[in-house]
Every structure is written in structure tokens, then in C-alpha cells.
Amino acid sequence: INAEYGENAIVIANSGRWPLMIDPQGQANKWIKNMEKQANLHTIKLSDADYVRTLENCIQFGTPVLLEDVGEDLDPLLEPILLKQTFKQGGAICIRLGDSTIEYSRDFRFYITTKLRNPHYLPETAVKVTLLNFMITPEGLEDQLLGIVVAREKPELEEERNELIIQSANNQKQLKEIEDKILEVLSSSEGNILEDETAIQVLSSSKVLANEISEKQEVAAVTEKKINETRQMYLPIAVHSSVLFFTISDLAAIDPMYQYSLPWFINLFINAIDNSEPNEDIAKRLVILTDYFTDLLYRNICRSLFEKDKLLFSFLMCSNILKNKKKMNDDEWRFLLTGGVGLDNPNPNPYAWLPPKAWDEFTRLTELNPSFKGLRQHVAAHEDGWKKLYDSTEPLEESLPEKWESSLSQFQKMMVIRCLRPDKITPFVQNFVKTNLGAKFVEPPPFDLPGSFSDSSNIIPLIFVLSPGADPMVALMKFAEDQGFGGPKLASLSLGQGQGPIAVKMLENAIKMGTWVVLQNCHLSVSWMPTLEKICADLHPDSTHPDFRLWLTSYPSPAFPIPILQNGVKMTNEPPKGLKANLGRSYLADPICDQEFFNSCKQPKAFKKLLFGLCFFHATVQERRQFGPLGWNIPYEFNETDLRISVKQLRMFLNQYEELPIDAISYLTGECNYGGRVTDSHDRRVIIGILQNFYNHEIVNDDNYKFSESGKYFAPKDGEYDSYLEFIKGLPILSKPEVFNMHSNADITKDQKETNMLFDSILLTEGTGGGGGGGDKDSVLYEVAEGIITKLPKDFDTEAALRKYPTEYKQSMNTVLVQEMGRFNVLTECVRTSLINLQKAIKGLVVMSSELEDVTAAVINGKIPGMWMAKSYPSLKPLGSYVNDLVMRLKFLQDWCDDGVPNIFWVSGFYFTQAFITGVKQNYARKYTIPIDTLSFDYEVMREDLDTSKPPDDGAYINGLFVDGARWCREKMVLAESTPKVLFDTMPMIWMKPMKKLDIPDRSIYWCPVYKTSERRGTLSTTGHSTNFVIDMRIASDKPEMHWVLRGLALLCQLDD
């Protein structure tokens, strides 16, 4: 048995308090059930209706009890048992349980287990129990898997080993008894021991017995050595499989539905041993078994992962295997994920084309280890080679400049690409996995419902994990028909309020009759989930009809019962990616695929053209999500029902009206069916703009009407149903951004989003990275904390500022300054205190609390700690940039305080920007005694040679904004298309001019939203303002407003670098 488990067992046997065991893999459960089998162990759960009665009986009769699957809160009823509050009554020992007093047997034993991986028990719970960690360790799992593989491959060997263990334990026991006997004889003997015949006899026989045992032990030791030598030959597969298990157990940090149990994993492992090709040569057999099991596990796990996480899983599996073989360095791995942590870069960026973030990462990479020595200097000295790589559309096909191509490993090259072209990391990751694991690990198996069904049973449920736009019910209904379980043999229910009792009756009936039950949307019935868990736990092969199957559908939810997830067959069935696949799916779905429906409209030409436009619109609004905030501020879950109702309304209106009712169908589709989901006013502009492209008279009357500039996309001429499917088949597989009316740079944004998502998800599986190399990590942490503390200035003296800038009727900016200082004081106090406490915790002077652990993890990963963000302005910057940005904001306010109101306001430097905007408006209103609610702003972008030595008479000059999705043309002084590869442009100074709404001049403008970060989406704060949106600005443009709306153009107060 593993040493840690042995220690836990000793603690349980000798502790004065009952044990509470953290047992996500069920190891403790299994051990206790085996240990207490003879004593008639009773197993209960807090969800059992009669668990109190069971507990009372066991306490009276001295029977052991195992309380399984507790959460973070224990029932207060258990308190007397946990505290052992016994008392004597009528000569008997009693205990009070609830309202009843019962006799308490001394033989009673109580065990508690929880399936939670990382529970947080409050101190008042922790002091009542003995908390023990039974989470499986790599060594423990290796030993377990080694035992399994040897028992399967060489059963006689494992049997002999087990007999030896028992024999050895018996021998040890006999030796102990002999020693005790000798000590007893020696202590009870009186006078001369040599004259005590009995004592001499005992000693002689003990010596003979002890010699015999010693000889047996020597023989056993030789045999054990031989057995262990043979067993060790199978160790590589046990180690490899153990690494794989810990890889899949970490996936739960990415999504709560990614839960896999140890028994399930071991069953899969046994399957691999039994079904893989046998071979007498152990070395060859191990290679076959390793490949077979890795592939089997990959296929089984992949079917339960979302598309976005399939490559991530392959990459994690590959890197963990290489780390285990010491072929990958932890520091390099962390650099790839985070880009390193640094505050200042003393080396100036040599090129205008090289992004500052890339140059900072090159600098940190150069100092990482000797392999990269001289990299920064080489980049600075060889512009052509690095620029060629930077400009390449396919960096994977290019070589690194000069010596770096040959001197760096494949993984190290990926680190260099991370610095220079983070948007192209995905192909490099795929290539890395291909090289190290094989091509099949980057080609996920297709969705296979029959295969998943064959892995289920009458007690193993099947779970569809849902994603936006996915509806597995159609495929499931068809599969049920094929299996002979259609119609009355398939009962379906969508869960929600009050549906629990109906579901219970359905399940009871189906379990007896052997029919199928589908419970949809489990995430909407959180309170009923414990009941579902109990029903699934009570399913027994003998008492359940063999044909019974339980199908569940749910969006990812932390409330979904873990035991069901661990033991069930999980599947994801996402809608196909890409415009072409989306269009194809719409035409193959009901009602469009129904020939009668398709051909029965009174205006066939208009119907077919507008129908194609509607399907194209449906695909467009879904595919725009991949571009992040450029596509939609909030990623809405448009689905098939939106399309279905819009298609039916389109046909109905065309049948009822002679004229084309474009306005009516546009309103219903854009404002109601799809628009009903849209909560952001700027997104509403986008959806109406997209729909105008497809619902118009031109699409019907003009056969040359194109959807985009390339001319590849248009509504085909009036034809039969099949002709539309053929047309869709001829469309490009990959659609360029122009089809969504976006700039080609949007592809870079999309790729960068993918890279960030990949690395952020992997970081979730990394935890705080405690353990090995603690000393180095501590020193880095201490230095980073010291660097930040040193950079932070002293808190603002708000009282002195208030005296210098008192509240004045004519100057609202005084109030803005003092309020801003107060807000920043709260933030800097939080940052400073947490870092000082972190330094103390590293030294061991204070306890490392969970808050400080979060700060530690964030600092190591170069992220902003959550504790700071709770008190901070919104920011997506990495830690180093965030600290520099914070220091600049503090300096801006300090300069204002020292030198008076600035001529130009750095609008990005405000914590609460809306206060500044209101202040500008208020100053104008009070100066000219105009009601403030009649005022608005006009905006004039100023030329760069403007004299800014004095402020404007009215309004304010502002700077610090960035254009996202376009650039500012400094010659024509209007918005213009972005330069290729340049995602953001710095906006020149803007003059905010307050004026009456009626006086604002009418000219060609774009109403441009201003956001604090590139994420764009925010929440309504207590002030009634969005936490992200600032204001809409009227910016000069020579293009129609809808052009920029569809481009996703916005102004940002700060970038993410």
C-alpha cells in the first residue's frame, strides 16, 4: 500500500475524532468498505430520506457507518456524534441525536468521505473531524496500475507476490509476539533466571522459532527481489498511464463537466490490456500496449470535450508525457504559456514594425536559459530575417533566422514564435503533437452516437454536454427509431420548475418497462439534481430492466452531480464550424428539407431567394462569434429555433401579401426572433445592419446582387431544392472576413483569441505550481513583489488636495480630481498590503491564506490578481504592463494636483471616466446657465501640429484613445481602413465640445462607441453606468455608417499589451 495511505490508516485508527476523507477517486470508500465488510458496514448519504434512522440503529448496535459524498457543509444533526457528546443515563452511556436520546455503543465507528477535489471546510467544521487527504498520488497510482498489468500479463507472479506480502506480515506478527513473550518472562521472573526452567524453555523455543522465521524471511526476500525485477519491466506502462490519468483529472479545472473517475480509467486500462495485440517480448508488448491505451483514452475523452479543448487535451497529454521523461523544462513550459513576468524593459525596441509586447518577450526569453543567449541581440542586428518571419502568412513553413533554426528544439522554436507571431501558435502546437504523439492525435474522431451507446448500460446514463446552437434531440430521435425505441418507448421531458416529480414518475416507469427516458436541460433544475444523483446511484443491474437507458442533456454547470459525470458516457455534438457547413446544416434541417414546404409558397422566386438570404444571415450571425468583440460585444446563443420560426414567418407573409413585405419580415426577424436575444444596443445596430444585406428588394430582383466584395457569395437563381445544396457544396470551406463585412485583420484577432484561450485554459490546469523548485519560485515572487512595491508612490493626501482644489460651482474638475484620488488610494492600498503580506508569507511570518495563494498564482502566471481586480478599473493587461499603467495613472493625477488643471486630459487615466465627462458638461452648463440635460457633445479630431499651450475656451482636449477595427487618416482627417497587420491605431487629440443638442452640425459621421478595454462587454454598475462602455463619439467618416458598424469599429481607452 502507498505510504501516504498507510499513514492515513494509522491516523484513522488512533485519532480521537472521526475522519473526514477527501476522496475524489473513491479510494478511501473502497478501502473502508473492504475493511469493515465483516462488521456489517452501513453506507448512507445526506440525501437519503432515512439516513437518521440508519444512524440511530448503528449507534445503538455498534455497527460502523460510512457517510458518503458530503459537500462543504455538514448537517448540524451530526454535531453530537462528531463531538462525541455522550453522557450516562441509568447506568448506560447515551447520546442525543435530534430529539431522541439513544444508547451509545462503544463499538460504533463513523467515517465520512467527500468527492470534492479541493473543498474549503470552515474552521468550525475542520476542528470537529480529522481531515485526511486520500487523493491518489502518482506513486500510489503507478503501483496500482503496475499491480493490474502484472496480474493480467503474469497472473502467477502477482499471486505469488500477494502471498509473500501476507506471509511477511504474519512472520512480523509472530516475531512481535515472541518479543512480547520474552519481555513478559523476563519481567515476571524472580531470582536467578538461569534456575527458572520455564523461562529457559520459553527462551529456547522462541530462539528456534525466531531463527525459522528469519530463514523464511530470507527466502521470501530473494523471491521478492526476483518478482520485483520482473514487475519493474512493466513499470514504464504504469508510469505512462499514471501521467495520462493526472492529465485527464486536471481537465475539470477547465470545465465542470470534464469529470472522469478512477474506476472508469482502470476499466479502460484493463480493456486495453485485454484487447491489444499480445507479444512474448515484454519490450515490444509495452510499446503496443502504450500506443493502444493512449489512443483508446484519447478517443474516449475526445467525445466528451468541446472542439476548442480537443487540441488542448492532445497538447497537455503530449507535454505531460515529455515532462515525465525529463524532455521538457518547466520554466520553458511556463514561458510558453505566460510570456514571462517582467515590469520594465531597459532595452529600446529597435524596429517600428515590431510590437512592444513581442520585444519585451524576446528580452525575457533571452534571459530564461543558456539556449536563448544572444537572441535579443540577434533580433536587433538582423532585421531582414526576423521581418520576413513576422510578415509571413505561414510562419510554420519558414525557418528561423541563421543559427536559431538548428540550435533550438521544436518546443523552443514554438517559444520564439510565441513572441513574434502569437496568432500562429495553433499550427505549431498541432505540428508539435504530430511529431511527438502521432497525426491521429490532432484529428479528433467524429461524433459517434452508436459507439457511445454501446459503452452505456442500463445503469450507466448517457450525457449530452450542450453548446450554443447544438440540439442533439433530432439525432437522438432518429437513433431511437433505428434501435426500435421510437414513439411510446421514448419519453422526453425538459426540466425546470415543478418538473421533478414528473421526471421521477417517468423514470420509475421506464426502469420497470425497459424504455428510454430523455431529461433535457438539467442545468435549469439545480435543486432537483441531488434527487437525480440518488436515482442514478440506486440503479442496480438486477433490479433495472436491461433495455432501460437514461439520456441527459445539460449545458456546463458546476451543480451537475459529479458521480453521474464520472460514471456516465459524456458526449458533445457541436454545430459544424464555418459558413459553408452552417448553410448546409440549415438546408438539411426541418422545415427547409421538407420538399412540400420548400415548393409551396405563392411567390416561389422571392421565397427561395429570401430563404437563402435568411440562412446566410443565420450562418453569419453565428460565425461572427469567432471574431470576439469585433463580431459581437456579447457572444449570443442564436440557434436553430430562431431560424425555424423566421423561415415559417417568411413563407406565411409571402403567402399573405402580393408586395414584398420587407419591413415586416425584417422587423420580426431582426428585432424579435434574433433581436430578442440581443441585449447590447451596439450589437442591435450590427444585427439590423447584417439583415439589411439579405432582406431587401435587390436580392429578389437583381440576379447579380452579391453579399460581399469578393462576389463569391450570392443567392443562386430560382431552382429546385437539390440545386441549392449543390451551390452550397461549391462554396469555399474557409470563409474570409470580407464575407462578414470585416477587414482581413479580423483573422489575426481571431487567431490571437484562439491562442489566448488555449494558453489560459492550460494555465487553469496548472494550479499554483507549488511543490518542486519552491526556493526558486519564492525568490522570484519576492523580487516581483518588491519591484511592484518600490514602483508604487505614497497614497494621495486627499485632504490636502481638497484644500488646494475645493468644491467650486464654476470648476467641477476639482471634485473629479479629489474623487479619483480617493478611488486610486483604495486600489493602491489593496495592492501594497497584499504584496507585503505575500512577502511575509514567503518568509513564514504570516499564514498563506487562500487570498494570498490566489495572488501567488496570478503573479507567477503574470496575471492581475482577482483581489486587485475587485478594487480596480477594468484591465486585460498582463501584470507588468498593468503595474506600469497604474503608475502612469497615479503620476497623471499627481501632476494635475501639483501643476494645476492640465491643458490636455489623458482620458484613459481616469478610474471613473463618466465623472470626467459629466464634469466637462457641467462646467459648460454653469458657465452659460443652460440646463445640463439639453446638452450633448460634438467631437473634433485635431491636427497634430495644434498649439496646446492653453486649454480650449469651452470643453476639453482629450488624448489616449486607440482605434480598433480601422485607422485614422491624418491627411483626410476621416476614418479609414486598417493597414494590414496593424490591429490598432493611436487616435490624435480630440476636442470634446459641449453644445445644445439642437446646435450640433449635421455632417457625415460614425457614432463610435468608446470602451475601457477590448473586451467591450461590461455589466451595469451601481452608478447606473456600464463597467466598460464610456460614451458614443461622433467621428468624421466618408463612408456609410453601416460600413463601420459591420467592421466592429470602436475606440478603446487601453490595449491589452
Side-chain angles (χ1 to χ4, degrees):
I1 193 166
N2 182 274
E4 262 179 64
Y5 292 167
E7 287 166 13
N8 283 348
I10 293 165
V11 171
I12 289 170
N14 296 291
S15 169
R17 291 179 297 204
W18 298 125
L20 166 48
M21 293 160 272
I22 297 165
D23 183 36
Q25 288 96 16
Q27 299 287 100
N29 252 21
K30 192 174 163 189
W31 170 63
I32 283 160
K33 283 174 181 173
N34 281 337
M35 180 175 72
E36 296 286 13
K37 201 180 203 173
Q38 305 298 324
N40 188 22
L41 173 79
H42 282 62
T43 303
I44 57 172
K45 288 182 180 173
L46 291 178
S47 56
D48 293 352
D50 59 344
Y51 88 90
V52 180
R53 191 179 299 120
T54 309
L55 206 48
E56 284 176 0
N57 290 339
C58 292
I59 290 170
Q60 284 172 303
F61 299 116
T63 318
V65 172
L66 168 61
L67 171 59
E68 292 182 315
D69 297 351
V70 297
E72 292 187 345
D73 299 309
L74 296 181
D75 191 332
L77 184 106
L78 299 172
E79 192 158 314
I81 302 174
L82 299 179
L83 296 174
K84 298 188 179 175
Q85 290 173 340
T86 55
F87 54 89
K88 275 201 170 177
Q89 187 175 317
I93 295 172
C94 298
I95 194 167
R96 245 187 116 61
L97 199 63
D99 297 333
S100 49
T101 302
I102 51 172
E103 275 195 38
Y104 184 87
S105 166
R106 289 285 185 204
D107 293 332
F108 171 69
R109 290 180 299 286
F110 191 42
Y111 307 96
I112 311 172
T113 62
T114 177
K115 274 234 161 61
L116 300 174
R117 284 165 57 84
N118 189 17
H120 288 278
Y121 286 106
L122 294 171
E124 50 264 38
T125 303
V127 295
K128 292 172 193 165
V129 294
T130 302
L131 260 179
L132 293 165
N133 186 4
F134 266 85
M135 264 186 87
I136 197 155
T137 59
E139 296 78 18
L141 183 57
E142 280 166 25
D143 200 52
Q144 211 170 323
L145 295 172
L146 186 60
I148 291 166
V149 74
V150 174
R152 290 271 170 186
E153 300 279 301
K154 306 263 190 225
E156 69 292 339
L157 206 67
E158 194 62 13
E159 211 173 294
E160 201 177 334
R161 178 175 176 267
N162 289 339
E163 280 171 12
L164 273 179
I165 290 170
I166 294 164
Q167 188 189 324
S168 175
N170 287 337
N171 289 344
Q172 296 284 4
K173 192 178 174 188
Q174 275 183 297
L175 275 175
K176 180 83 173 67
E177 284 169 3
I178 291 167
E179 285 168 13
D180 290 348
K181 210 170 185 183
I182 291 169
L183 288 172
E184 190 190 336
V185 166
L186 291 174
S187 61
S188 61
S189 172
E190 292 169 6
N192 188 348
I193 195 164
L194 297 174
E195 291 169 6
D196 188 339
E197 216 168 296
T198 320
I200 289 168
Q201 227 170 351
V202 168
L203 290 170
S204 303
S205 63
S206 299
K207 189 182 178 187
V208 172
L209 199 56
N211 287 342
E212 276 176 26
I213 289 170
S214 295
E215 282 168 21
K216 275 185 194 170
Q217 289 288 73
E218 279 171 23
V219 173
V222 173
T223 316
E224 191 175 357
K225 193 179 174 192
K226 273 185 197 165
I227 292 172
N228 280 340
E229 279 170 7
T230 313
R231 279 181 102 239
Q232 287 306 308
M233 294 169 81
Y234 286 95
L235 188 63
I237 180 66
V239 172
H240 176 85
S241 304
S242 170
V243 169
L244 296 183
F245 176 76
F246 284 100
T247 302
I248 63 170
S249 67
D250 286 339
L251 294 175
I254 297 170
D255 192 291
M257 305 302 266
Y258 297 165
Q259 303 276 357
Y260 308 92
S261 70
L262 184 61
W264 173 85
F265 180 83
I266 285 173
N267 279 341
L268 204 64
F269 184 63
I270 292 168
N271 276 352
I273 296 169
D274 293 350
N275 298 327
S276 54
E277 184 192 326
N279 197 305
E280 288 302 313
D281 184 333
I282 291 181
K284 284 181 184 169
R285 170 70 178 140
L286 287 183
V287 171
I288 293 167
L289 186 51
T290 303
D291 290 348
Y292 187 89
F293 179 59
T294 310
D295 182 45
L296 181 66
L297 182 76
Y298 174 72
R299 283 186 283 114
N300 270 275
I301 297 289
C302 255
R303 71 177 171 204
S304 64
L305 300 180
F306 291 124
E307 286 298 325
K308 67 182 178 66
D309 296 325
K310 287 179 180 175
L311 177 63
L312 177 149
F313 172 56
S314 303
F315 188 38
L316 264 181
M317 204 159 65
C318 179
S319 55
N320 286 344
I321 290 167
L322 292 176
K323 275 191 217 168
N324 185 260
K325 292 176 178 171
K326 302 283 184 283
K327 288 183 181 176
M328 198 190 277
N329 176 317
D330 266 346
D331 290 338
E332 291 183 356
W333 171 246
R334 197 162 278 281
F335 181 90
L336 179 76
L337 301 182
T338 65
V341 182
L343 298 179
D344 287 318
N345 185 355
N347 308 290
N349 185 346
Y351 312 121
W353 56 265
L354 186 65
K357 185 183 179 193
W359 177 243
D360 290 348
E361 287 184 3
F362 270 131
T363 305
R364 291 196 284 273
L365 185 56
T366 306
E367 292 157 8
L368 188 68
N369 64 37
S371 303
F372 299 100
K373 194 176 178 189
L375 177 65
R376 173 175 56 78
Q377 293 82 348
H378 192 277
V379 172
H382 298 78
E383 180 174 6
D384 292 348
W386 292 100
K387 179 91 165 62
K388 184 185 172 197
L389 187 60
Y390 179 73
D391 288 338
S392 171
T393 50
E394 295 295 334
L396 187 63
E397 309 300 324
E398 303 284 341
S399 302
L400 293 188
E402 297 182 11
K403 65 165 187 170
W404 302 105
E405 178 61 29
S406 54
S407 68
L408 297 181
S409 68
Q410 190 184 8
F411 186 79
Q412 289 170 332
K413 285 176 190 170
M414 197 152 58
M415 294 164 70
V416 173
I417 293 298
R418 188 231 138 86
C419 301
L420 195 64
R421 289 294 301 277
D423 56 308
K424 292 295 179 189
I425 276 288
T426 304
F428 278 84
V429 169
Q430 286 172 329
N431 207 32
F432 181 73
V433 173
K434 250 188 224 175
T435 307
N436 291 286
L437 277 188
K440 59 188 171 188
F441 292 96
V442 290
E443 295 158 8
F447 177 66
D448 176 20
L449 193 51
S452 301
F453 178 74
S454 64
D455 287 346
S456 71
S457 73
N458 56 348
I459 59 166
I460 296 177
L462 296 112
I463 306 143
F464 282 106
V465 186
L466 302 175
S467 59
D471 183 11
M473 283 309 292
V474 180
L476 178 54
M477 295 286 190
K478 186 176 181 304
F479 179 71
E481 287 284 345
D482 296 347
Q483 295 289 320
F485 280 86
K489 285 190 167 185
L490 179 72
S492 174
L493 179 70
S494 184
L495 291 177
Q497 199 170 3
Q499 298 298 304
I502 303 169
V504 171
K505 279 183 188 158
M506 276 169 67
L507 285 166
E508 284 170 355
N509 185 44
I511 288 166
K512 281 185 206 147
M513 305 303 292
T515 54
W516 291 4
V517 172
V518 186
L519 298 179
Q520 299 179 59
N521 301 324
C522 294
H523 59 287
L524 298 179
S525 192
V526 171
S527 59
W528 189 70
M529 285 298 102
T531 313
L532 178 64
E533 182 182 345
K534 187 172 184 325
I535 291 169
C536 290
D538 292 344
L539 290 176
H540 197 272
D542 302 336
S543 57
T544 307
H545 194 291
D547 289 339
F548 167 73
R549 286 295 182 280
L550 173 58
W551 302 79
L552 305 168
T553 77
S554 174
Y555 275 94
S557 164
F560 199 94
I562 291 174
I564 298 180
L565 285 172
Q566 288 189 336
N567 301 317
V569 175
K570 297 180 288 298
M571 298 161 283
T572 57
N573 181 21
E574 290 178 85
K577 295 278 188 288
L579 197 75
K580 177 180 175 178
N582 211 310
L583 270 172
R585 194 168 90 253
S586 296
Y587 265 80
L588 292 170
D590 188 62
I592 302 173
C593 64
D594 180 354
Q595 296 286 343
E596 190 187 331
F597 178 90
F598 188 78
N599 293 311
S600 64
C601 184
K602 289 178 182 172
Q603 300 187 47
K605 182 189 175 188
F607 175 64
K608 290 174 185 177
K609 286 264 192 182
L610 288 169
L611 177 65
F612 188 84
L614 176 60
C615 291
F616 209 98
F617 164 77
H618 177 71
T620 303
V621 295
Q622 287 191 311
E623 293 301 313
R624 269 183 84 97
R625 276 201 302 252
Q626 65 188 335
F627 297 104
L630 277 179
W632 299 107
N633 288 351
I634 298 165
Y636 302 101
E637 296 176 5
F638 302 114
N639 61 31
E640 302 309 306
T641 47
D642 301 327
L643 176 65
R644 210 171 295 141
I645 186 69
S646 300
V647 168
K648 287 178 178 174
Q649 285 171 349
L650 171 66
R651 179 167 161 269
M652 181 181 79
F653 272 79
L654 290 179
N655 280 340
Q656 286 182 0
Y657 293 92
E658 297 296 321
E659 292 289 312
L660 282 183
I662 293 292
D663 289 345
I665 56 174
S666 295
Y667 184 83
L668 281 169
T669 303
E671 297 281 1
C672 304
N673 303 337
Y674 286 84
R677 296 181 185 276
V678 178
T679 52
D680 185 288
S681 59
H682 296 97
D683 284 342
R684 192 169 282 272
R685 273 197 316 184
V686 174
I687 202 161
I688 299 301
I690 296 171
L691 190 59
Q692 283 172 6
N693 207 9
F694 305 110
Y695 265 7
N696 53 46
H697 290 278
E698 287 83 1
I699 191 173
V700 178
N701 303 325
D702 180 2
D703 281 340
N704 292 318
Y705 178 74
K706 305 290 190 248
F707 295 155
S708 71
E709 291 167 9
S710 68
K712 291 178 188 168
Y713 300 95
F714 53 88
K717 288 179 182 172
D718 185 12
E720 292 305 308
Y721 173 75
D722 289 339
S723 68
Y724 287 87
L725 289 179
E726 283 305 311
F727 178 79
I728 291 167
K729 276 181 192 165
L731 292 175
I733 294 174
L734 296 173
S735 34
K736 293 200 158 54
E738 61 93 24
V739 70
F740 307 106
N741 295 100
M742 299 175 96
H743 191 272
S744 58
N745 281 354
D747 260 348
I748 300 176
T749 307
K750 181 187 74 157
D751 293 342
Q752 281 186 348
K753 179 175 163 254
E754 265 181 29
T755 300
N756 293 339
M757 205 159 67
L758 176 73
F759 289 158
D760 287 346
S761 297
I762 293 175
L763 280 171
L764 290 173
T765 69
E766 292 287 295
T768 54
D776 294 345
K777 210 163 276 178
D778 284 353
S779 61
V780 169
L781 267 173
Y782 197 92
E783 281 169 29
V784 172
E786 189 59 43
I788 297 172
I789 292 167
T790 311
K791 290 190 89 164
L792 286 180
K794 284 192 293 190
D795 282 357
F796 293 118
D797 185 346
T798 48
E799 288 183 10
L802 194 57
R803 284 196 296 276
K804 188 173 178 181
Y805 296 96
T807 307
E808 274 183 33
Y809 183 75
K810 290 283 176 67
Q811 182 50 287
S812 302
M813 287 301 153
N814 292 0
T815 309
V816 172
L817 171 66
V818 177
Q819 285 180 349
E820 284 290 303
M821 285 178 157
R823 291 186 188 100
F824 277 105
N825 275 353
V826 173
L827 172 57
T828 50
E829 177 61 29
C830 170
V831 172
R832 194 180 288 111
T833 309
S834 64
L835 291 175
I836 290 169
N837 286 339
L838 178 62
Q839 288 183 324
K840 285 180 180 173
I842 290 168
K843 287 180 176 175
L845 301 175
V846 298
V847 176
M848 180 69 86
S849 64
S850 59
E851 288 88 356
L852 286 180
E853 270 184 24
D854 292 344
V855 174
T856 304
V859 171
I860 286 172
N861 294 335
K863 307 276 183 198
I864 309 167
M867 186 197 252
W868 301 2
M869 283 312 296
K871 305 266 193 264
S872 172
Y873 50 88
S875 180
L876 300 175
K877 289 178 178 288
L879 181 66
S881 305
Y882 174 79
V883 172
N884 292 335
D885 177 61
L886 173 59
V887 171
M888 281 169 66
R889 287 171 186 247
L890 299 174
K891 185 179 182 303
F892 165 63
L893 292 181
Q894 192 60 56
D895 289 348
W896 181 349
C897 185
D898 295 344
D899 308 332
V901 180
N903 297 338
I904 306 171
F905 290 94
W906 179 39
V907 76
S908 308
F910 289 103
Y911 189 113
F912 184 47
T913 320
Q914 284 89 345
F916 162 73
I917 292 167
T918 306
V920 174
K921 214 185 266 187
Q922 208 166 47
N923 278 354
Y924 185 84
R926 287 173 175 175
K927 181 177 175 181
Y928 296 104
T929 57
I930 302 169
I932 195 165
D933 55 353
T934 63
L935 293 179
S936 186
F937 285 105
D938 193 23
Y939 301 87
E940 186 181 338
V941 183
M942 311 305 286
R943 293 199 173 273
E944 292 179 340
D945 53 3
L946 181 82
D947 176 25
T948 56
S949 57
K950 61 180 198 313
D953 293 336
D954 294 318
Y957 292 144
I958 59 165
N959 66 4
L961 294 175
F962 301 90
V963 196
D964 181 13
R967 68 182 174 88
W968 181 255
C969 177
R970 283 152 176 79
E971 290 78 44
K972 294 183 182 174
M973 297 300 282
V974 288
L975 289 168
E977 294 294 0
S978 302
T979 312
K981 281 226 174 73
V982 181
L983 303 184
F984 305 100
D985 185 25
T986 309
M987 197 71 178
M989 186 176 72
I990 298 173
W991 179 11
M992 293 178 71
K993 305 181 193 174
M995 57 177 69
K996 286 184 180 175
K997 290 171 186 171
L998 299 172
D999 296 344
I1000 293 174
D1002 192 22
R1003 60 178 194 274
S1004 175
I1005 56 110
Y1006 165 60
W1007 275 104
C1008 184
V1010 180
Y1011 297 98
K1012 292 182 181 177
T1013 70
S1014 68
E1015 190 180 30
R1016 302 194 187 186
R1017 64 191 289 192
T1019 53
L1020 272 183
S1021 62
T1022 48
T1023 57
H1025 295 88
S1026 164
T1027 50
N1028 209 327
F1029 173 70
V1030 180
I1031 196 171
D1032 279 313
M1033 287 190 176
R1034 292 162 48 87
I1035 303 295
S1037 164
D1038 58 1
K1039 286 189 167 66
E1041 184 170 22
M1042 202 43 76
H1043 175 84
W1044 299 119
V1045 167
L1046 298 180
R1047 283 279 197 264
L1049 169 58
L1051 288 172
L1052 306 177
C1053 291
Q1054 53 171 309
L1055 302 181
D1056 302 349
D1057 294 348

